Structures are given as structure tokens and as C-alpha cells.
Amino acid sequence: DLAWSGIEGLEYTGEQLVGLDSMRFVTRYFKDRKLELGSFLPDDALVTDLDGRTDRLRPVATRRDSKEIVVYHPNAVASSYDAALDSARAARMRIDLTSFRGSYKVTWYRPVDGVAKAGGSVKGGAPRDLVAPWVGVDVVLRLVKRSTN
């Protein structure tokens, strides 16, 4: 019974909203791992979608210095009122690690059900292409710098 219009001017009052249904699980991911997003800086220039998705369909990145990078990839075919996942494809992205030295531990997270999966490691110093281990879902990718000890 509350009137609400979206940023695009569309009237949503009385309608079930769609899209970003897994966002509450992404929030839990950060909370469970005690990741304080206030210590991260947005850096979307670090990541591009290998399938050419842009604007609201593209992945977004944030980083904590060179120690940690977190990317959210919506793996979507449509945004806004028509938001929908790409059910036929895994999220694919290029992470530009040119300015990042050392090796990074890769972890994938599937927000829809809270499953995390180790993804090996990647070396910094060059762009790296990464593909999510699941098809048809949005994902969080976390890269944590391995200690040099």
C-alpha cells in the first residue's frame, strides 16, 4: 500500500520486484567472513566481462590495497524491471592484475545457496581470465594475496 516508482520512472506499487534476489546472501557472505567493506575501494577498471556485457550487466570490483579483490558478477541477460540471469552461461571475466604482484588464492561464492568453492590460485602481473564453476547463477569472486613468507 506504499506508492513506489523506480529510477526509470516505472511504477512498481503492488508488483513483485525481481532481480538481485540473491543480494541478501551476498551480504551474509561478507558478514560470515568478517569482510569490512569500508576498508575496500571500488575499482571497476580491474574487471571486464568476457562476453561483452556492460552497464548494469557488467561485473563490479572492489579491492583492499593489493591484498584482496572482491568481484560481484550478476551473470545477467537483462537488468532493471526485466532482470534475469543468463541460465545458459557461466560468468566469465578478465581481472587486470598487471599492477598486482605475487600470487592470489581464488575463491568462488554462489549466493543463491551459499556454496563456496576453492578455485586454485592466479599470479599477478598480467590480465587473467576466470570462469565461474557454475552455469546460470550470479557469483562473487574473491582473490586474496598469498603471504610471501
Side-chain angles (χ1 to χ4, degrees):
D1 51 338
L2 296 176
W4 186 77
S5 295
I7 195 166
E8 305 88 6
L10 295 173
E11 177 63 42
Y12 292 107
T13 305
E15 295 185 40
Q16 177 67 41
L17 298 179
V18 297
L20 290 180
D21 296 331
S22 64
M23 195 49 60
R24 67 178 179 251
F25 301 113
V26 172
T27 302
R28 187 176 74 206
Y29 174 83
F30 291 112
K31 184 178 177 183
D32 290 351
R33 286 155 182 82
K34 296 179 177 40
L35 291 173
E36 190 61 49
L37 286 180
S39 61
F40 285 74
L41 294 173
D43 196 348
D44 290 341
L46 285 177
V47 62
T48 55
D49 180 75
L50 288 172
D51 294 309
R53 292 179 268 205
T54 60
D55 298 322
R56 292 183 181 171
L57 304 179
R58 67 175 168 75
V60 292
T62 187
R63 66 181 173 85
R64 186 172 55 88
D65 299 320
S66 64
K67 298 175 184 125
E68 190 168 8
I69 300 168
V70 175
V71 177
Y72 173 73
H73 195 310
N75 195 29
V77 292
S79 66
S80 190
Y81 187 70
D82 299 318
L85 288 168
D86 188 338
S87 61
R89 198 180 297 200
R92 301 175 342 119
M93 62 193 97
R94 176 168 291 140
I95 309 293
D96 186 0
L97 297 177
T98 304
S99 300
F100 296 80
R101 300 292 175 232
S103 180
Y104 289 81
K105 176 184 165 189
V106 176
T107 305
W108 294 95
Y109 177 72
R110 187 172 60 199
V112 69
D113 58 7
V115 171
K117 183 174 185 174
S121 64
V122 294
K123 285 191 175 194
R128 304 294 177 202
D129 294 350
L130 299 167
V131 179
W134 309 286
V135 172
V137 295
D138 57 335
V139 295
V140 174
L141 169 67
R142 184 178 181 201
L143 303 177
V144 178
K145 190 168 191 173
R146 294 185 180 274
S147 67
T148 56
N149 295 343

